[in-house]
Structure formats: C-alpha cells, structure tokens
Amino acid sequence: MDPRLNERDAIADILAFHVEAGVDVALGDAPVDRFEESARERSMLRPRPQVAESRPAPSAPAPARPAHITSRAPTPAAPALPGDAPPPPDIAAIEAREAAASAPTLEALSELLQGFDGCPLKHTATRLVFADGNPRARLMLVGEAPGRDEDIEGKPFVGRSGKLLDRMLAAIGIDRTRAYIANVVPWRPPGNRTPTPQETAICLPFIRRQIELADPDILVCLGGPSAQTLLGITDGITKARGRWQEYNTGTRTIPALATFHPAYLLRSPLGKRMVWRDLMAIEAKLAEFGANPRP
Ligand code: URA
C-alpha cells in the first residue's frame, strides 16, 4: 500500500483529535514554547513607573513579525507581536480600570476595547464581540464569553444558545429591540474554554462600565460565571438562580437576577422549567418599569 495513504490517515486522525479537543484555530506553523516566552518576559520585567508609559507611542514603528507568527485568515484583531506582549495581569487590570472609566459613551467604550491590548484573549480571537440589541433597553443580559459563531459574526449570542435565548425572550414578548446583550469577556477564549480568573479580572472593569453607560433598569446574568463575576454569588447557579439581588451600576442600584445559561439548557432541557419561572419574574419586574425602551 502507498505509505502516503497511511500518513494521510494519521494526519486526519490527529486533526480530528484536535478538533474534538476544541482546538479549532491555527495560529502558526511552528510550535511556540510559551514557558520559555514567559520566563523571558519575567526576566525582562522592570518596575513600570507609570502605567501610561508602558504603551508604545501611537506613531512608534511596528515591531517586525516574529518567525513563529505566520499569516492566518484576515482578521480585524491584530496578531500578537513580541512588543505587544500583554502586560502582567495585575498591570493589565489597572490599565483596564483606567481605560474603562475614561469612556464617556458606549461607542467610546467599544473603541477603547478595540485598542486595548491587555487581555491575551484579544490575540487569539477573531474580533471583539461588544454587544447586540438596543442600548436603551430596560433589560440587559450578560453572558460569559463569545463562542465560535459570535467570534465570526462579532455579535453576542448568535449561535445555538443565542437562538434559544431569542426563543426564551420571545416567550415574554421581548426581542433584541427591547434587550441589550453583552458578555463579561468580549473576546472568544480559544476552543470555547472558560475564561481564566485573570482574563475575567482584566475584562471586568469594561463590562461594569458598559452596564453603567447602558444604565438598564434590570440586569440578568446568564449562567454561573456571569453571576459570580457581576453579582458575587458564591452558591452554585442552581441555588442562586431566580432570586432577585441588587446590582450597583456605579450610579444607582438596580434589580438583578441570575438564571441558567442557554447553553446549559441545550444540554439539560429539564432546566427550562426553572428558567420559565425566571422569565415570568423578569416579565413582572419589567412591567414595573414599562417594557418599552427608554425614549
Ligand atoms: N455564550 C455566551 O456566554 N455568550 C455568547 O455570546 C455566546 C455563547
């Protein structure tokens, strides 16, 4: 038998293994030793006197592309370059706080995020997934992080779980003209893995500012990670869901509710019964404010 056939089968097997493991993005042709990279970064790390000084001037010449980064499909997000190595997470979180606080509008916040290099996820995602729906809606829903479809389209909740979310909202007469939708983390984690605590901490000031600027009357956290991050719940989502809590937007306190993530419902349809109750509670609460978007 032609040995190339065996080789082709072996390569197909390896590729299938990677896809099943969630590796669906090719970032380069050559392997990269991340341990060596971070050891080098640590050894080069100097105290940074001022956070703002750590960024290269906008006009600074772009560093040369390293050999290990080869071109991928054209994407709006810039690939990581050595000079762009994200700052350590604690510095990135400080930069994120300062940047987020400086955004006067949602548009400005979205632009700031486009230019923010502090979160490593930006460099593996295709694009920023900022928000969808109506920023003047009284209801804001926040998920965990974009998945593959969202990464491609640049909008939150457009894949299978998004379709289910749309059906859930339709059950209480809400569509995307009456809801504003975002995620705690606005870049897709590779292979849809859960964002790390550091990635979440870096993105947190941005979603907090996004909520403050959108100024909804009701906040709904979709899934445990969103509820833990925004509402500080320590119970599991099964226990915490369906209970009204308070969320401080920075300018006022609004009612907030955690419910199951639609992706969980796709795996565990029995949960829909409980989500139905949560939807009824959301509908009743919205009636207190008037379900129409603010003028
Ligand atoms: N899951 C999320 O948490 N957010 C999305 O946008 C899509 C899936």
Side-chain angles (χ1 to χ4, degrees):
M1 185 157 93
D2 183 345
R4 280 171 306 177
L5 287 180
N6 275 339
E7 197 180 317
R8 210 176 300 154
D9 285 351
I11 292 171
D13 280 351
I14 292 170
L15 276 177
F17 169 79
H18 279 88
V19 170
E20 272 164 30
V23 181
D24 55 4
V25 182
L27 294 177
D29 289 339
V32 180
D33 184 348
R34 300 283 178 208
F35 292 109
E36 190 273 327
E37 255 183 16
S38 48
R40 185 161 29 90
E41 271 163 28
R42 270 200 304 277
S43 71
M44 283 164 47
L45 206 60
R46 309 227 186 299
R48 292 149 60 116
Q50 280 204 352
V51 167
E53 283 175 16
S54 66
R55 291 266 155 261
S59 56
R65 186 188 286 276
H68 70 266
I69 295 176
T70 53
S71 60
R72 42 191 298 222
T75 61
L81 297 169
D84 290 345
D90 49 343
I91 301 283
I94 295 171
E95 291 184 350
R97 265 206 302 278
E98 290 178 356
S102 74
T105 61
L106 287 169
E107 294 72 27
L109 186 67
S110 170
E111 267 173 40
L112 263 169
L113 267 167
Q114 294 277 9
F116 181 74
D117 285 325
C119 180
L121 292 177
K122 175 182 180 180
H123 301 295
T124 49
T126 307
R127 70 193 79 243
L128 174 74
V129 177
F130 184 66
D132 195 24
N134 184 348
R136 302 200 60 77
R138 295 182 184 275
L139 173 66
M140 178 164 179
L141 302 117
V142 181
E144 179 183 352
R148 185 171 176 275
D149 298 301
E150 290 75 21
D151 183 61
I152 291 168
E153 278 200 37
K155 284 185 187 169
F157 285 99
V158 292
R160 274 185 76 218
S161 53
K163 303 269 178 297
L164 178 54
L165 178 63
D166 286 344
R167 289 202 299 278
M168 286 158 54
L169 292 176
I172 54 169
I174 304 263
D175 62 14
R176 292 193 184 209
T177 64
R178 290 174 169 218
Y180 183 58
I181 305 175
N183 282 304
V184 170
V185 170
W187 291 284
R188 180 201 183 198
N192 294 352
R193 66 162 169 75
T194 303
T196 65
Q198 283 98 335
E199 289 158 355
T200 302
I202 292 167
C203 296
L204 183 58
F206 291 108
I207 184 63
R208 280 204 183 283
R209 183 71 176 146
Q210 195 171 352
I211 298 170
E212 183 178 3
L213 290 168
D215 195 25
D217 290 320
I218 297 174
L219 177 69
V220 171
C221 292
L222 297 168
S226 167
Q228 279 148 17
T229 307
L230 294 175
L231 306 181
I233 64 155
T234 47
D235 291 332
I237 184 71
T238 309
K239 200 157 170 217
R241 59 142 282 282
R243 276 192 264 135
W244 284 108
Q245 331 226 358
E246 292 190 335
Y247 177 83
N248 189 332
T249 66
T251 51
R252 66 190 183 116
T253 300
I254 59 170
L257 190 89
T259 191
F260 287 137
H261 193 289
Y264 168 79
L265 297 177
L266 288 171
R267 295 191 303 271
S268 313
L270 276 184
K272 286 182 186 170
R273 263 190 244 163
M274 281 173 265
V275 168
W276 179 248
R277 277 190 234 143
D278 299 343
L279 287 167
M280 295 292 104
I282 293 166
E283 185 180 36
K285 187 66 80 181
L286 269 176
E288 291 174 24
F289 297 98
N292 286 331
R294 286 155 301 151

PDB file of all heavy atoms in Angstrom, residues 25 27 34 55 69 72 75 77-81 83-87 114-127 187-188 190:
ATOM      1  N   VAL A  25      -8.483  26.711  15.902  1.00  0.00           N
ATOM      2  CA  VAL A  25      -7.856  27.885  15.305  1.00  0.00           C
ATOM      3  C   VAL A  25      -6.378  27.593  15.108  1.00  0.00           C
ATOM      4  O   VAL A  25      -5.717  27.157  16.051  1.00  0.00           O
ATOM      5  CB  VAL A  25      -7.988  29.117  16.236  1.00  0.00           C
ATOM      6  CG1 VAL A  25      -7.362  30.339  15.575  1.00  0.00           C
ATOM      7  CG2 VAL A  25      -9.436  29.384  16.571  1.00  0.00           C
ATOM      8  N   LEU A  27      -2.857  29.095  14.705  1.00  0.00           N
ATOM      9  CA  LEU A  27      -2.211  30.397  14.902  1.00  0.00           C
ATOM     10  C   LEU A  27      -0.848  30.472  14.241  1.00  0.00           C
ATOM     11  O   LEU A  27      -0.332  31.536  14.005  1.00  0.00           O
ATOM     12  CB  LEU A  27      -2.060  30.691  16.396  1.00  0.00           C
ATOM     13  CG  LEU A  27      -3.367  30.875  17.151  1.00  0.00           C
ATOM     14  CD1 LEU A  27      -3.095  31.086  18.621  1.00  0.00           C
ATOM     15  CD2 LEU A  27      -4.148  32.053  16.599  1.00  0.00           C
ATOM     16  N   ARG A  34       5.735  28.460  25.076  1.00  0.00           N
ATOM     17  CA  ARG A  34       5.200  29.547  25.909  1.00  0.00           C
ATOM     18  C   ARG A  34       5.924  29.631  27.259  1.00  0.00           C
ATOM     19  O   ARG A  34       5.997  30.688  27.856  1.00  0.00           O
ATOM     20  CB  ARG A  34       3.703  29.347  26.162  1.00  0.00           C
ATOM     21  CG  ARG A  34       2.879  29.327  24.900  1.00  0.00           C
ATOM     22  CD  ARG A  34       2.666  30.698  24.346  1.00  0.00           C
ATOM     23  NE  ARG A  34       1.916  30.636  23.108  1.00  0.00           N
ATOM     24  CZ  ARG A  34       2.002  31.528  22.133  1.00  0.00           C
ATOM     25  NH1 ARG A  34       2.790  32.559  22.250  1.00  0.00           N
ATOM     26  NH2 ARG A  34       1.294  31.402  21.040  1.00  0.00           N
ATOM     27  N   ARG A  55       2.838  51.830  27.284  1.00  0.00           N
ATOM     28  CA  ARG A  55       2.337  51.663  25.916  1.00  0.00           C
ATOM     29  C   ARG A  55       3.252  52.355  24.927  1.00  0.00           C
ATOM     30  O   ARG A  55       3.666  53.493  25.160  1.00  0.00           O
ATOM     31  CB  ARG A  55       0.943  52.302  25.814  1.00  0.00           C
ATOM     32  CG  ARG A  55      -0.065  51.541  26.575  1.00  0.00           C
ATOM     33  CD  ARG A  55      -0.748  50.567  25.622  1.00  0.00           C
ATOM     34  NE  ARG A  55      -1.261  49.462  26.373  1.00  0.00           N
ATOM     35  CZ  ARG A  55      -0.618  48.313  26.467  1.00  0.00           C
ATOM     36  NH1 ARG A  55       0.520  48.103  25.880  1.00  0.00           N
ATOM     37  NH2 ARG A  55      -1.138  47.327  27.151  1.00  0.00           N
ATOM     38  N   ILE A  69       5.102  33.583  13.993  1.00  0.00           N
ATOM     39  CA  ILE A  69       3.730  34.012  13.693  1.00  0.00           C
ATOM     40  C   ILE A  69       3.577  34.098  12.188  1.00  0.00           C
ATOM     41  O   ILE A  69       4.190  34.927  11.529  1.00  0.00           O
ATOM     42  CB  ILE A  69       3.405  35.354  14.344  1.00  0.00           C
ATOM     43  CG1 ILE A  69       3.440  35.163  15.852  1.00  0.00           C
ATOM     44  CG2 ILE A  69       2.045  35.856  13.907  1.00  0.00           C
ATOM     45  CD1 ILE A  69       3.238  36.424  16.622  1.00  0.00           C
ATOM     46  N   ARG A  72      -2.629  34.220   9.232  1.00  0.00           N
ATOM     47  CA  ARG A  72      -3.853  33.433   9.314  1.00  0.00           C
ATOM     48  C   ARG A  72      -4.882  34.140   8.468  1.00  0.00           C
ATOM     49  O   ARG A  72      -4.568  35.147   7.846  1.00  0.00           O
ATOM     50  CB  ARG A  72      -4.309  33.293  10.776  1.00  0.00           C
ATOM     51  CG  ARG A  72      -4.195  34.536  11.583  1.00  0.00           C
ATOM     52  CD  ARG A  72      -4.402  34.305  13.072  1.00  0.00           C
ATOM     53  NE  ARG A  72      -5.732  33.807  13.364  1.00  0.00           N
ATOM     54  CZ  ARG A  72      -6.445  34.251  14.403  1.00  0.00           C
ATOM     55  NH1 ARG A  72      -6.008  35.177  15.200  1.00  0.00           N
ATOM     56  NH2 ARG A  72      -7.628  33.755  14.623  1.00  0.00           N
ATOM     57  N   THR A  75      -8.058  38.909   9.704  1.00  0.00           N
ATOM     58  CA  THR A  75      -8.918  39.142  10.854  1.00  0.00           C
ATOM     59  C   THR A  75      -8.734  40.572  11.305  1.00  0.00           C
ATOM     60  O   THR A  75      -7.643  41.118  11.214  1.00  0.00           O
ATOM     61  CB  THR A  75      -8.534  38.235  12.039  1.00  0.00           C
ATOM     62  OG1 THR A  75      -7.197  38.549  12.402  1.00  0.00           O
ATOM     63  CG2 THR A  75      -8.639  36.775  11.702  1.00  0.00           C
ATOM     64  N   ALA A  77      -8.676  41.567  14.380  1.00  0.00           N
ATOM     65  CA  ALA A  77      -7.839  41.652  15.575  1.00  0.00           C
ATOM     66  C   ALA A  77      -6.385  41.425  15.180  1.00  0.00           C
ATOM     67  O   ALA A  77      -6.078  40.504  14.446  1.00  0.00           O
ATOM     68  CB  ALA A  77      -8.278  40.598  16.589  1.00  0.00           C
ATOM     69  N   ALA A  78      -5.490  42.299  15.681  1.00  0.00           N
ATOM     70  CA  ALA A  78      -4.081  42.170  15.316  1.00  0.00           C
ATOM     71  C   ALA A  78      -3.472  40.952  15.993  1.00  0.00           C
ATOM     72  O   ALA A  78      -3.751  40.693  17.151  1.00  0.00           O
ATOM     73  CB  ALA A  78      -3.339  43.410  15.763  1.00  0.00           C
ATOM     74  N   PRO A  79      -2.616  40.180  15.291  1.00  0.00           N
ATOM     75  CA  PRO A  79      -1.959  39.065  15.944  1.00  0.00           C
ATOM     76  C   PRO A  79      -0.934  39.576  16.949  1.00  0.00           C
ATOM     77  O   PRO A  79      -0.453  40.684  16.849  1.00  0.00           O
ATOM     78  CB  PRO A  79      -1.279  38.319  14.791  1.00  0.00           C
ATOM     79  CG  PRO A  79      -1.171  39.304  13.691  1.00  0.00           C
ATOM     80  CD  PRO A  79      -2.238  40.328  13.888  1.00  0.00           C
ATOM     81  N   ALA A  80      -0.617  38.722  17.926  1.00  0.00           N
ATOM     82  CA  ALA A  80       0.320  39.140  18.966  1.00  0.00           C
ATOM     83  C   ALA A  80       1.721  39.286  18.387  1.00  0.00           C
ATOM     84  O   ALA A  80       2.165  38.464  17.608  1.00  0.00           O
ATOM     85  CB  ALA A  80       0.331  38.105  20.078  1.00  0.00           C
ATOM     86  N   LEU A  81       2.377  40.344  18.753  1.00  0.00           N
ATOM     87  CA  LEU A  81       3.760  40.559  18.363  1.00  0.00           C
ATOM     88  C   LEU A  81       4.568  40.704  19.643  1.00  0.00           C
ATOM     89  O   LEU A  81       4.022  41.057  20.685  1.00  0.00           O
ATOM     90  CB  LEU A  81       3.859  41.834  17.520  1.00  0.00           C
ATOM     91  CG  LEU A  81       3.079  41.787  16.196  1.00  0.00           C
ATOM     92  CD1 LEU A  81       3.024  43.169  15.577  1.00  0.00           C
ATOM     93  CD2 LEU A  81       3.708  40.801  15.236  1.00  0.00           C
ATOM     94  N   GLY A  83       6.576  42.939  20.836  1.00  0.00           N
ATOM     95  CA  GLY A  83       6.455  44.229  21.504  1.00  0.00           C
ATOM     96  C   GLY A  83       5.073  44.422  22.085  1.00  0.00           C
ATOM     97  O   GLY A  83       4.856  45.256  22.948  1.00  0.00           O
ATOM     98  N   ASP A  84       4.090  43.652  21.592  1.00  0.00           N
ATOM     99  CA  ASP A  84       2.710  43.771  22.063  1.00  0.00           C
ATOM    100  C   ASP A  84       2.404  42.797  23.191  1.00  0.00           C
ATOM    101  O   ASP A  84       1.252  42.658  23.566  1.00  0.00           O
ATOM    102  CB  ASP A  84       1.730  43.442  20.927  1.00  0.00           C
ATOM    103  CG  ASP A  84       1.749  44.516  19.863  1.00  0.00           C
ATOM    104  OD1 ASP A  84       2.277  45.597  20.155  1.00  0.00           O
ATOM    105  OD2 ASP A  84       1.251  44.264  18.758  1.00  0.00           O
ATOM    106  N   ALA A  85       3.398  42.065  23.671  1.00  0.00           N
ATOM    107  CA  ALA A  85       3.123  41.065  24.702  1.00  0.00           C
ATOM    108  C   ALA A  85       2.277  41.715  25.784  1.00  0.00           C
ATOM    109  O   ALA A  85       2.631  42.791  26.275  1.00  0.00           O
ATOM    110  CB  ALA A  85       4.425  40.545  25.279  1.00  0.00           C
ATOM    111  N   PRO A  86       1.123  41.101  26.123  1.00  0.00           N
ATOM    112  CA  PRO A  86       0.250  41.744  27.095  1.00  0.00           C
ATOM    113  C   PRO A  86       1.008  41.989  28.394  1.00  0.00           C
ATOM    114  O   PRO A  86       1.872  41.201  28.752  1.00  0.00           O
ATOM    115  CB  PRO A  86      -0.868  40.726  27.309  1.00  0.00           C
ATOM    116  CG  PRO A  86      -0.767  39.763  26.195  1.00  0.00           C
ATOM    117  CD  PRO A  86       0.630  39.811  25.687  1.00  0.00           C
ATOM    118  N   PRO A  87       0.684  43.076  29.081  1.00  0.00           N
ATOM    119  CA  PRO A  87       1.338  43.321  30.364  1.00  0.00           C
ATOM    120  C   PRO A  87       0.928  42.258  31.373  1.00  0.00           C
ATOM    121  O   PRO A  87      -0.066  41.563  31.152  1.00  0.00           O
ATOM    122  CB  PRO A  87       0.809  44.698  30.760  1.00  0.00           C
ATOM    123  CG  PRO A  87      -0.444  44.872  29.998  1.00  0.00           C
ATOM    124  CD  PRO A  87      -0.315  44.067  28.741  1.00  0.00           C
ATOM    125  N   GLN A 114     -11.401  48.001  21.456  1.00  0.00           N
ATOM    126  CA  GLN A 114     -10.733  47.616  20.193  1.00  0.00           C
ATOM    127  C   GLN A 114      -9.237  47.857  20.289  1.00  0.00           C
ATOM    128  O   GLN A 114      -8.438  47.102  19.743  1.00  0.00           O
ATOM    129  CB  GLN A 114     -11.266  48.444  19.012  1.00  0.00           C
ATOM    130  CG  GLN A 114     -12.704  48.205  18.654  1.00  0.00           C
ATOM    131  CD  GLN A 114     -12.904  46.993  17.754  1.00  0.00           C
ATOM    132  OE1 GLN A 114     -11.975  46.231  17.529  1.00  0.00           O
ATOM    133  NE2 GLN A 114     -14.117  46.822  17.278  1.00  0.00           N
ATOM    134  N   GLY A 115      -8.863  48.913  20.991  1.00  0.00           N
ATOM    135  CA  GLY A 115      -7.445  49.266  21.061  1.00  0.00           C
ATOM    136  C   GLY A 115      -6.754  48.732  22.294  1.00  0.00           C
ATOM    137  O   GLY A 115      -5.564  48.963  22.482  1.00  0.00           O
ATOM    138  N   PHE A 116      -7.478  48.046  23.162  1.00  0.00           N
ATOM    139  CA  PHE A 116      -6.899  47.581  24.432  1.00  0.00           C
ATOM    140  C   PHE A 116      -6.168  46.256  24.213  1.00  0.00           C
ATOM    141  O   PHE A 116      -6.753  45.288  23.731  1.00  0.00           O
ATOM    142  CB  PHE A 116      -8.030  47.414  25.456  1.00  0.00           C
ATOM    143  CG  PHE A 116      -7.561  46.958  26.805  1.00  0.00           C
ATOM    144  CD1 PHE A 116      -6.898  47.832  27.653  1.00  0.00           C
ATOM    145  CD2 PHE A 116      -7.761  45.654  27.227  1.00  0.00           C
ATOM    146  CE1 PHE A 116      -6.461  47.407  28.902  1.00  0.00           C
ATOM    147  CE2 PHE A 116      -7.330  45.221  28.469  1.00  0.00           C
ATOM    148  CZ  PHE A 116      -6.675  46.105  29.313  1.00  0.00           C
ATOM    149  N   ASP A 117      -4.899  46.232  24.590  1.00  0.00           N
ATOM    150  CA  ASP A 117      -4.091  45.027  24.340  1.00  0.00           C
ATOM    151  C   ASP A 117      -3.817  44.228  25.611  1.00  0.00           C
ATOM    152  O   ASP A 117      -3.025  43.284  25.591  1.00  0.00           O
ATOM    153  CB  ASP A 117      -2.740  45.430  23.724  1.00  0.00           C
ATOM    154  CG  ASP A 117      -2.901  45.819  22.272  1.00  0.00           C
ATOM    155  OD1 ASP A 117      -3.748  45.216  21.592  1.00  0.00           O
ATOM    156  OD2 ASP A 117      -2.199  46.744  21.830  1.00  0.00           O
ATOM    157  N   GLY A 118      -4.447  44.610  26.712  1.00  0.00           N
ATOM    158  CA  GLY A 118      -4.090  43.987  27.989  1.00  0.00           C
ATOM    159  C   GLY A 118      -4.629  42.586  28.188  1.00  0.00           C
ATOM    160  O   GLY A 118      -4.170  41.870  29.079  1.00  0.00           O
ATOM    161  N   CYS A 119      -5.606  42.172  27.386  1.00  0.00           N
ATOM    162  CA  CYS A 119      -6.174  40.830  27.582  1.00  0.00           C
ATOM    163  C   CYS A 119      -5.639  39.897  26.492  1.00  0.00           C
ATOM    164  O   CYS A 119      -5.867  40.139  25.299  1.00  0.00           O
ATOM    165  CB  CYS A 119      -7.703  40.877  27.539  1.00  0.00           C
ATOM    166  SG  CYS A 119      -8.421  39.247  27.790  1.00  0.00           S
ATOM    167  N   PRO A 120      -4.953  38.826  26.889  1.00  0.00           N
ATOM    168  CA  PRO A 120      -4.357  37.941  25.882  1.00  0.00           C
ATOM    169  C   PRO A 120      -5.389  37.333  24.942  1.00  0.00           C
ATOM    170  O   PRO A 120      -5.058  36.970  23.809  1.00  0.00           O
ATOM    171  CB  PRO A 120      -3.679  36.845  26.705  1.00  0.00           C
ATOM    172  CG  PRO A 120      -3.918  37.143  28.140  1.00  0.00           C
ATOM    173  CD  PRO A 120      -4.701  38.416  28.272  1.00  0.00           C
ATOM    174  N   LEU A 121      -6.643  37.257  25.369  1.00  0.00           N
ATOM    175  CA  LEU A 121      -7.656  36.645  24.510  1.00  0.00           C
ATOM    176  C   LEU A 121      -7.855  37.436  23.221  1.00  0.00           C
ATOM    177  O   LEU A 121      -8.255  36.892  22.201  1.00  0.00           O
ATOM    178  CB  LEU A 121      -9.003  36.556  25.244  1.00  0.00           C
ATOM    179  CG  LEU A 121      -9.058  35.585  26.415  1.00  0.00           C
ATOM    180  CD1 LEU A 121     -10.408  35.660  27.091  1.00  0.00           C
ATOM    181  CD2 LEU A 121      -8.757  34.175  25.939  1.00  0.00           C
ATOM    182  N   LYS A 122      -7.558  38.718  23.272  1.00  0.00           N
ATOM    183  CA  LYS A 122      -7.718  39.548  22.069  1.00  0.00           C
ATOM    184  C   LYS A 122      -6.884  38.980  20.925  1.00  0.00           C
ATOM    185  O   LYS A 122      -7.264  39.083  19.757  1.00  0.00           O
ATOM    186  CB  LYS A 122      -7.296  40.975  22.381  1.00  0.00           C
ATOM    187  CG  LYS A 122      -7.322  41.864  21.164  1.00  0.00           C
ATOM    188  CD  LYS A 122      -6.849  43.248  21.478  1.00  0.00           C
ATOM    189  CE  LYS A 122      -6.893  44.096  20.224  1.00  0.00           C
ATOM    190  NZ  LYS A 122      -6.437  45.447  20.477  1.00  0.00           N
ATOM    191  N   HIS A 123      -5.749  38.400  21.264  1.00  0.00           N
ATOM    192  CA  HIS A 123      -4.815  37.975  20.224  1.00  0.00           C
ATOM    193  C   HIS A 123      -5.153  36.613  19.623  1.00  0.00           C
ATOM    194  O   HIS A 123      -4.591  36.238  18.604  1.00  0.00           O
ATOM    195  CB  HIS A 123      -3.390  37.979  20.785  1.00  0.00           C
ATOM    196  CG  HIS A 123      -3.008  39.341  21.285  1.00  0.00           C
ATOM    197  ND1 HIS A 123      -2.892  40.418  20.448  1.00  0.00           N
ATOM    198  CD2 HIS A 123      -2.776  39.808  22.534  1.00  0.00           C
ATOM    199  CE1 HIS A 123      -2.585  41.483  21.159  1.00  0.00           C
ATOM    200  NE2 HIS A 123      -2.511  41.141  22.428  1.00  0.00           N
ATOM    201  N   THR A 124      -6.038  35.879  20.264  1.00  0.00           N
ATOM    202  CA  THR A 124      -6.438  34.604  19.668  1.00  0.00           C
ATOM    203  C   THR A 124      -7.849  34.689  19.090  1.00  0.00           C
ATOM    204  O   THR A 124      -8.232  33.864  18.263  1.00  0.00           O
ATOM    205  CB  THR A 124      -6.378  33.460  20.711  1.00  0.00           C
ATOM    206  OG1 THR A 124      -7.044  33.876  21.896  1.00  0.00           O
ATOM    207  CG2 THR A 124      -4.945  33.097  21.035  1.00  0.00           C
ATOM    208  N   ALA A 125      -8.597  35.686  19.522  1.00  0.00           N
ATOM    209  CA  ALA A 125      -9.961  35.846  18.978  1.00  0.00           C
ATOM    210  C   ALA A 125      -9.886  36.476  17.596  1.00  0.00           C
ATOM    211  O   ALA A 125      -8.903  37.124  17.245  1.00  0.00           O
ATOM    212  CB  ALA A 125     -10.785  36.724  19.912  1.00  0.00           C
ATOM    213  N   THR A 126     -10.950  36.269  16.831  1.00  0.00           N
ATOM    214  CA  THR A 126     -11.003  36.895  15.511  1.00  0.00           C
ATOM    215  C   THR A 126     -11.335  38.375  15.628  1.00  0.00           C
ATOM    216  O   THR A 126     -10.782  39.202  14.934  1.00  0.00           O
ATOM    217  CB  THR A 126     -12.093  36.210  14.654  1.00  0.00           C
ATOM    218  OG1 THR A 126     -11.835  34.816  14.669  1.00  0.00           O
ATOM    219  CG2 THR A 126     -12.095  36.711  13.231  1.00  0.00           C
ATOM    220  N   ARG A 127     -12.275  38.666  16.515  1.00  0.00           N
ATOM    221  CA  ARG A 127     -12.690  40.060  16.644  1.00  0.00           C
ATOM    222  C   ARG A 127     -13.337  40.290  18.012  1.00  0.00           C
ATOM    223  O   ARG A 127     -13.675  39.342  18.724  1.00  0.00           O
ATOM    224  CB  ARG A 127     -13.666  40.437  15.531  1.00  0.00           C
ATOM    225  CG  ARG A 127     -15.022  39.787  15.652  1.00  0.00           C
ATOM    226  CD  ARG A 127     -15.851  39.914  14.402  1.00  0.00           C
ATOM    227  NE  ARG A 127     -15.440  38.935  13.402  1.00  0.00           N
ATOM    228  CZ  ARG A 127     -14.937  39.265  12.210  1.00  0.00           C
ATOM    229  NH1 ARG A 127     -14.795  40.510  11.850  1.00  0.00           N
ATOM    230  NH2 ARG A 127     -14.585  38.310  11.368  1.00  0.00           N
ATOM    231  N   TRP A 187     -13.995  38.730  24.218  1.00  0.00           N
ATOM    232  CA  TRP A 187     -13.247  38.007  23.192  1.00  0.00           C
ATOM    233  C   TRP A 187     -13.425  36.516  23.424  1.00  0.00           C
ATOM    234  O   TRP A 187     -13.448  36.053  24.571  1.00  0.00           O
ATOM    235  CB  TRP A 187     -11.748  38.328  23.249  1.00  0.00           C
ATOM    236  CG  TRP A 187     -11.417  39.723  22.840  1.00  0.00           C
ATOM    237  CD1 TRP A 187     -11.382  40.223  21.580  1.00  0.00           C
ATOM    238  CD2 TRP A 187     -11.069  40.813  23.707  1.00  0.00           C
ATOM    239  NE1 TRP A 187     -11.034  41.558  21.599  1.00  0.00           N
ATOM    240  CE2 TRP A 187     -10.836  41.943  22.894  1.00  0.00           C
ATOM    241  CE3 TRP A 187     -10.940  40.960  25.101  1.00  0.00           C
ATOM    242  CZ2 TRP A 187     -10.474  43.184  23.407  1.00  0.00           C
ATOM    243  CZ3 TRP A 187     -10.581  42.180  25.620  1.00  0.00           C
ATOM    244  CH2 TRP A 187     -10.346  43.282  24.777  1.00  0.00           C
ATOM    245  N   ARG A 188     -13.490  35.766  22.348  1.00  0.00           N
ATOM    246  CA  ARG A 188     -13.689  34.322  22.480  1.00  0.00           C
ATOM    247  C   ARG A 188     -12.436  33.640  23.051  1.00  0.00           C
ATOM    248  O   ARG A 188     -11.345  33.781  22.508  1.00  0.00           O
ATOM    249  CB  ARG A 188     -13.970  33.724  21.105  1.00  0.00           C
ATOM    250  CG  ARG A 188     -14.191  32.232  21.178  1.00  0.00           C
ATOM    251  CD  ARG A 188     -13.977  31.565  19.854  1.00  0.00           C
ATOM    252  NE  ARG A 188     -14.263  30.140  19.966  1.00  0.00           N
ATOM    253  CZ  ARG A 188     -13.849  29.238  19.094  1.00  0.00           C
ATOM    254  NH1 ARG A 188     -13.130  29.597  18.054  1.00  0.00           N
ATOM    255  NH2 ARG A 188     -14.147  27.980  19.273  1.00  0.00           N
ATOM    256  N   PRO A 190      -9.957  30.578  23.312  1.00  0.00           N
ATOM    257  CA  PRO A 190      -9.685  29.518  22.336  1.00  0.00           C
ATOM    258  C   PRO A 190     -10.420  28.230  22.698  1.00  0.00           C
ATOM    259  O   PRO A 190     -10.442  27.827  23.864  1.00  0.00           O
ATOM    260  CB  PRO A 190      -8.169  29.305  22.445  1.00  0.00           C
ATOM    261  CG  PRO A 190      -7.640  30.530  23.110  1.00  0.00           C
ATOM    262  CD  PRO A 190      -8.746  31.111  23.934  1.00  0.00           C
TER     263      PRO A 190
END
